[in-house]
Amino acid sequence: MKKSNKISLIALLALFFIAQTSCDDMFEPAIENHKEESDLLNMPLWAAGLLGHVYIGNPLASWQITDVATDNAVINDPNSGLRAMATGSWRANNNPMDRWQNLRSAWNYLNVVLDIADDVNWAADPLVAEMYRDRFKGDAYGMRALLMHHLLLHHAGPGPDGQLLGIPIITEPETVTSEFNLPRNTFQECIDFLIADVNRAIGLLPDDYGDISQNSLVPAKYANMGVTASQYSRVFGDHAKNRMSARIARAIHAQAALLAASPAYSAGSTITWEYAADRMAEVLAGLGANPVNEVDPLGNLWYANNNEIRDFDAGFNPREILWRGNKEQNLGLEQDNYPPTLFGRGRVNPTQNFVDAFPMLNGYPIDDPNSNYNPNDPYANRDPRLAQIVIYNGTTAGHTNAVINTAADAEGNNALNRVATSTRTGYYLRKLLNHTVNANPDNEAGGWRYRAFMRYTEFFLGYAEAANEAWGPTGTGAHGYSAYDVVRAIRQRAGIGVNGSDPYLDSAMGDRDKMRELIRNERRIELSFENFRFWDLRRWKEDLTEPAMGMRIQGGNYTVIPMVESRAYQNHMYYGPIPFSEVTKYDNLFQNQGW
């Protein structure tokens, strides 16, 4: 196995440094904080710390709300990079979506782990050591697939000749003597590499972690080696829950397949809609034989129950959640997004565009003659999710259930454009916020939350999208359920329809185009403010320039504000740029067209 000469570990957590440093260093300073690979082989904490460092930078862990750069929302922070990007300042050297350096640095840590994993002395017990070897290698392969997916999201695009390119694929640890002037691999090669990493991870990891009490429960692979239940639990037990697993690796595969099959990327790979639907179905199969029957009745409110989240056992995942971050108690989101009278900065303001996307309670879009929509009473008889996601005029919020008035002529700072922290659109964000929180600086009280890395609604809607394109609205492929079945279950959960009927959905049963529009709209609502809309519009090659609209209420009259904020994207911005600093350093690293 090829070994690199020296690995810089300066960025590792102090925990791992302290654990391996002797007290003599207080009197004889240690050598510089660098380790040869031979040093790491007998220091499993250091080696595991390399992998832990990647988890710290997990690209799914951010609370960044990119909806404010789309038609879903605006932000009232004039210094926001996303606001500048959406209104015309997106450049290769001014890119708030740049993930090139951070994710490729994390990639290098994973390559180091894979380079040394077979030789590290993970444990004195040889059977335990072998299982640790499998686990850490599988973890690294799965996380590398995750990084590949997000690097493609942020930086894949057409090169000078129009061929869709990804990133330079590097499989060996980089050192100061490595060749950095490398060309980008094709998008197809990157997808193939991701799939190979997923398959390696699946072969090494369990579907789920958890302690076992009986030797008969040890997987055959390890039982045949003589592994006992206690040995297995030491490696794959409760303490490892919510680390990379085979189940999560399949989900990454499904996400990447949906991306590759989408209009913006389909010419760059051989991935088909049928393949994407099959991968989504593999993820959903973890819920049961008929996944549609397992849609979580409260899945769209996964963030809302403070006491339930507080009482989560470590590593526990609710029915809706496939992968999540650690629970924590804070009030940061509320301080940012509560209305001003609740001591918030009112940052994220949903648009009228987004509000208009919610159908009426009977399921019809508001522009359909059958909807019974009343523009003079626009929030009456609407999809119940509107009140769950958006704070609109007259609704309540916060731990005191305070009435929030957003009308231009309302009293107080919640009114439209009243002060710098007031709404710019006539709406405030409710979703993701914990309304038990008190943000009053004189009496602050935080609430419990966690970051949902992956939840099953994403994969239900991903299946619906791909299945509709592959087999039409009612086609099932080999899976026994259709796009129609999924959308019906999601809308029933939301409370859409009258007496169990959903005539608008039924009208799309024989119309792929109409079902496509409906699925995309359901995805817009269900996954709103969870960092999907920005990527969805681009992979669909939908219009990115629809102005962000608002609602002005004055004297009891409702008037749509046609432009709160422009959207100044250009066609080449369906794909993000390679950092300007990188393409100027390396002449083999081609920029995406238009940048």
Side-chain angles (χ1 to χ4, degrees):
M1 180 179 294
K2 180 179 177 181
K3 300 292 182 184
S4 57
N5 297 323
K6 189 176 287 187
I7 309 160
S8 175
L9 299 178
I10 294 174
L12 283 179
L13 295 171
L15 170 64
F16 299 105
F17 175 75
I18 293 169
Q20 299 295 334
T21 303
S22 76
C23 295
D24 291 341
D25 291 339
M26 297 175 62
F27 306 100
E28 291 187 27
I31 61 172
E32 289 185 27
N33 195 16
H34 294 275
K35 296 293 178 185
E36 302 287 346
E37 284 195 359
S38 58
D39 296 325
L40 294 180
L41 301 183
N42 292 306
M43 300 170 69
L45 280 178
W46 279 89
L50 290 165
L51 191 54
H53 188 73
V54 177
Y55 274 86
I56 293 171
N58 185 340
L60 294 170
S62 170
W63 285 100
Q64 184 186 47
I65 299 178
T66 54
D67 293 61
V68 300
T70 75
D71 54 356
N72 269 8
V74 301
I75 190 167
N76 67 15
D77 178 4
N79 299 313
S80 165
L82 291 173
R83 180 172 174 176
M85 178 184 78
T87 55
S89 297
W90 197 8
R91 304 285 185 272
N93 60 354
N94 182 26
N95 180 13
M97 305 305 295
D98 181 12
R99 299 295 181 272
W100 186 267
Q101 294 287 11
N102 288 343
L103 296 188
R104 293 187 75 221
S105 294
W107 182 291
N108 193 50
Y109 280 111
L110 295 172
N111 283 346
V112 174
V113 171
L114 292 169
D115 198 37
I116 66 174
D118 285 335
D119 300 315
V120 173
N121 297 318
W122 295 109
D125 183 329
L127 294 178
V128 171
E130 183 65 24
M131 287 187 290
Y132 270 126
R133 201 166 289 124
D134 284 354
R135 183 187 134 189
F136 286 125
K137 286 166 63 178
D139 201 334
Y141 283 127
M143 290 300 289
R144 195 166 68 177
L146 177 70
L147 298 187
M148 174 65 88
H149 178 226
H150 283 266
L151 282 162
L152 294 178
L153 275 175
H154 288 84
H155 299 291
D161 62 356
Q163 184 179 31
L164 202 63
L165 302 177
I167 66 167
I169 296 175
I170 300 168
T171 59
E172 298 289 340
E174 291 180 293
T175 72
V176 293
T177 61
S178 294
E179 174 58 70
F180 296 101
N181 189 13
L182 299 174
R184 297 163 63 190
N185 287 81
T186 66
F187 184 82
Q188 176 74 64
E189 290 168 340
C190 289
I191 288 292
D192 289 343
F193 189 85
L194 180 153
I195 293 171
D197 269 354
V198 163
N199 289 334
R200 294 184 188 104
I202 291 171
L204 294 167
L205 297 173
D207 274 1
D208 301 292
Y209 295 96
D211 290 346
I212 59 174
S213 58
Q214 302 175 33
N215 291 344
S216 61
L217 299 177
V218 176
K221 172 184 176 180
Y222 297 119
N224 293 336
M225 296 164 51
V227 170
T228 65
S230 62
Q231 289 171 311
Y232 181 84
S233 297
R234 178 178 168 185
V235 179
F236 296 109
D238 288 347
H239 65 283
K241 286 182 176 179
N242 278 320
R243 295 289 291 239
M244 178 60 60
S245 66
R247 191 182 304 279
I248 295 168
R250 291 188 195 97
I252 295 167
H253 189 178
Q255 290 175 326
L258 189 71
L259 180 75
S262 298
Y265 298 93
S266 59
S269 80
T270 58
I271 300 295
T272 64
W273 284 117
E274 182 174 5
Y275 183 89
D278 289 343
R279 302 294 76 75
M280 289 287 170
E282 285 180 349
V283 176
L284 297 175
L287 292 172
N290 189 343
V292 176
N293 292 337
E294 304 302 325
V295 171
D296 185 350
L298 296 176
N300 58 333
L301 295 172
W302 58 271
Y303 55 87
N305 192 323
N306 181 76
N307 292 341
E308 180 183 62
I309 297 170
R310 179 198 63 199
D311 296 338
F312 279 176
D313 291 332
F316 166 77
N317 282 335
R319 180 170 163 185
E320 168 69 7
I321 302 301
L322 195 158
W323 193 21
R324 68 171 176 89
N326 295 329
K327 68 178 183 180
E328 54 188 1
Q329 188 179 24
N330 59 46
L331 66 162
L333 281 179
E334 291 72 30
Q335 288 173 325
D336 275 345
N337 294 295
Y338 264 175
T341 60
L342 297 180
F343 304 94
R345 289 181 280 271
R347 285 298 188 225
V348 175
N349 306 155
T351 59
Q352 188 63 41
N353 318 52
F354 179 64
V355 171
D356 287 348
F358 289 83
M360 299 298 286
L361 187 61
N362 62 16
Y364 286 96
I366 64 171
D367 59 357
D368 190 289
N370 296 308
S371 69
N372 299 318
Y373 173 70
N374 181 0
N376 296 315
D377 192 8
Y379 312 123
N381 299 314
R382 296 293 292 275
D383 179 342
R385 292 173 294 187
L386 176 59
Q388 294 166 353
I389 295 173
V390 177
I391 297 172
Y392 53 82
N393 188 57
T395 55
T396 61
H399 73 292
T400 62
N401 288 318
V403 176
I404 307 301
N405 293 313
T406 65
D409 53 1
E411 295 182 0
N413 289 338
N414 296 332
L416 179 72
N417 290 324
R418 182 63 51 83
V419 295
T421 54
S422 300
T423 176
R424 301 170 62 206
T425 63
Y427 303 104
Y428 293 99
L429 179 67
R430 181 184 298 277
K431 184 176 178 179
L432 302 180
L433 305 188
N434 185 330
H435 288 264
T436 69
V437 163
N438 183 356
N440 185 335
D442 294 330
N443 192 27
E444 288 182 351
W448 288 96
R449 65 166 43 85
Y450 62 93
R451 182 79 172 94
F453 295 165
M454 295 177 176
R455 60 188 189 93
Y456 279 103
T457 295
E458 173 195 347
F459 297 94
F460 275 114
L461 291 170
Y463 175 84
E465 179 182 343
N468 180 59
E469 300 297 340
W471 310 306
T474 58
T476 63
H479 309 296
Y481 57 99
S482 66
Y484 169 85
D485 295 329
V486 167
V487 176
R488 183 175 180 84
I490 295 292
R491 282 164 67 95
Q492 284 182 332
R493 175 177 74 182
I496 297 296
V498 178
N499 298 323
S501 67
D502 191 344
Y504 183 77
L505 171 62
D506 290 346
S507 72
M509 289 181 69
D511 188 333
R512 179 185 273 113
D513 293 339
K514 191 172 184 178
M515 183 62 77
R516 179 188 305 117
E517 181 180 356
L518 184 51
I519 291 167
R520 290 182 178 183
N521 198 65
E522 286 297 313
R523 187 175 175 93
R524 180 180 190 177
I525 293 170
E526 287 281 340
L527 303 180
S528 59
F529 306 103
E530 297 182 54
N531 201 19
F532 284 92
R533 181 67 172 172
F534 179 76
W535 310 108
D536 284 346
L537 287 173
R538 294 167 75 227
R539 69 181 177 86
W540 293 331
K541 283 201 165 183
E542 287 280 310
D543 182 14
L544 300 174
T545 63
E546 183 177 319
M549 301 186 297
M551 175 65 78
R552 182 181 182 86
I553 307 172
Q554 190 162 7
N557 297 315
Y558 295 84
T559 305
V560 172
I561 306 169
M563 182 182 290
V564 173
E565 188 173 276
S566 66
R567 291 288 175 258
Y569 297 108
Q570 300 176 49
N571 284 341
H572 67 270
M573 294 176 179
Y574 287 118
Y575 311 95
I578 307 301
F580 179 77
S581 60
E582 297 299 293
V583 296
T584 55
K585 282 188 295 188
Y586 306 120
D587 57 9
N588 284 328
L589 189 69
F590 295 138
Q591 181 61 276
N592 289 330
Q593 286 184 6
W595 294 100

